[in-house]
Amino acid sequence: MKSVAVVTGGGDAPGMNAAIRAVVRAGLDKGWQVYGVRNGYQGLITGNVVVLGARDVGGIIQQGGTILGSSHCLEMETESGRLKALRTLHEHKIDAMVVIGGKGAQTGAHELAKMGYPVAGVAATINNDLSGSDIAIGVDTALNIALEAIDRLKITASSLQRAFIVEVMGSDCGYLALVVGIAGGAEVIVIPEVETDPEAIATELRDAYGKGKAHALVVVSEGATYNAERLARYFAEHRGRLGFELRVTTLGHVQRGGAPSAYDRLLGTRMGVAAVENLAEGKKGVLMGQVKGEIAATPLEEVVAHPRALDMRLLKLARMLAQ
Ligand code: F6P
């Protein structure tokens, strides 16, 4: 093996730059030529590839986002798109590739692996929905950003005895909402994995005030059937009967944009180095993730076949603590 490329795909996640830096410097340490692909799989298809040296990745470990750029690339979902991607890699004589990203990016990586190309994935998504990693790069930072917002909202909510809904990201996975809800002391947590009845939410919020609480906080995942907008509409339509309204804060992309936490910088660094080590040892078609505290390689085939299951014991725990 003489060369490796690194690409970031899909939504950015804080800590991706730490992983890029780690791949570049670990690759250089092996004596390889290292390439960066600009703008995700779109750049791979169009041949937007640059040589990266150690200095090119200096001063980036503390930056959010991805210095390489990223994309949601529909063409990569087609065979012709993937053939164009492979042509770029062959034209530049790139022997292997590290793919940093979430579900979409790792699905593309798996398709390339099935076509015989050596790839190693690095789990990076704030959704934390990738099996093969207990925690992905970006999750810790996104959780902390959401928590800071919730802590602030609770202060103003308590002053006026108000009920607030905070909507967090996560696509169709409730992990962020569940963990932020527990750590932020939410009265109610609404996630896509569990059907929600707005009437039951109203009862829980009323109970919260009945128990003498100064505020009521609902954390809702964007992928839930009743997301913040629908919940707020329901409460507004039934205001007279339910007795109170819900004020909405949708955190959205704010959660993705922060400077990576120490945890995410370290995780990105460890996974990036591990990806290079695995490729050097001839292990390919695997995802680098953290499993029980250790960096582990899981076949991409398994990763794309099963989404990461949410630990439903956490929801039970959240309900018990919201008394
Ligand atoms: O996959 C990460 C994520 O932030 C999801 O939580 C969210 O649903 C989605 O990306 C938003 O995508 P975009 O940045 O393309 O709007």
Side-chain angles (χ1 to χ4, degrees), residues 206-293:
R206 222 178 284 116
D207 284 357
Y209 287 122
K211 286 175 199 157
K213 292 195 179 191
H215 61 261
L217 177 70
V218 182
V219 174
V220 55
S221 174
E222 63 175 355
T225 314
Y226 276 95
N227 62 8
E229 192 197 332
R230 282 189 214 117
L231 264 185
R233 200 181 318 130
Y234 187 92
F235 272 71
E237 279 165 10
H238 300 87
R239 167 108 207 238
R241 188 171 50 81
L242 297 177
F244 52 90
E245 61 183 340
L246 285 170
R247 284 197 157 52
V248 176
T249 301
T250 301
L251 294 182
H253 292 80
V254 163
Q255 286 154 102
R256 270 199 346 218
S261 63
Y263 189 90
D264 278 326
R265 295 181 201 190
L266 194 60
L267 195 60
T269 300
R270 291 174 74 203
M271 286 192 197
V273 171
V276 168
E277 290 298 341
N278 271 260
L279 289 170
E281 287 165 18
K283 291 187 204 140
K284 44 199 181 183
V286 285
L287 177 82
M288 299 303 120
Q290 180 171 285
V291 181
K292 297 193 171 94

Side-chain angles (χ1 to χ4, degrees), residues 11 72 125-127 169-171 222 253 256:
H72 297 293
T125 166
I126 66 161
N127 299 342
M169 277 189 159
S171 193
E222 63 175 355
H253 292 80
R256 270 199 346 218

Side-chain angles (χ1 to χ4, degrees), residues 292-315:
K292 297 193 171 94
E294 299 292 331
I295 302 299
T298 304
L300 281 167
E301 195 175 356
E302 278 175 37
V303 173
V304 301
H306 315 285
R308 186 172 176 279
L310 202 57
D311 184 350
M312 297 311 272
R313 288 170 306 182
L314 288 177
L315 188 62

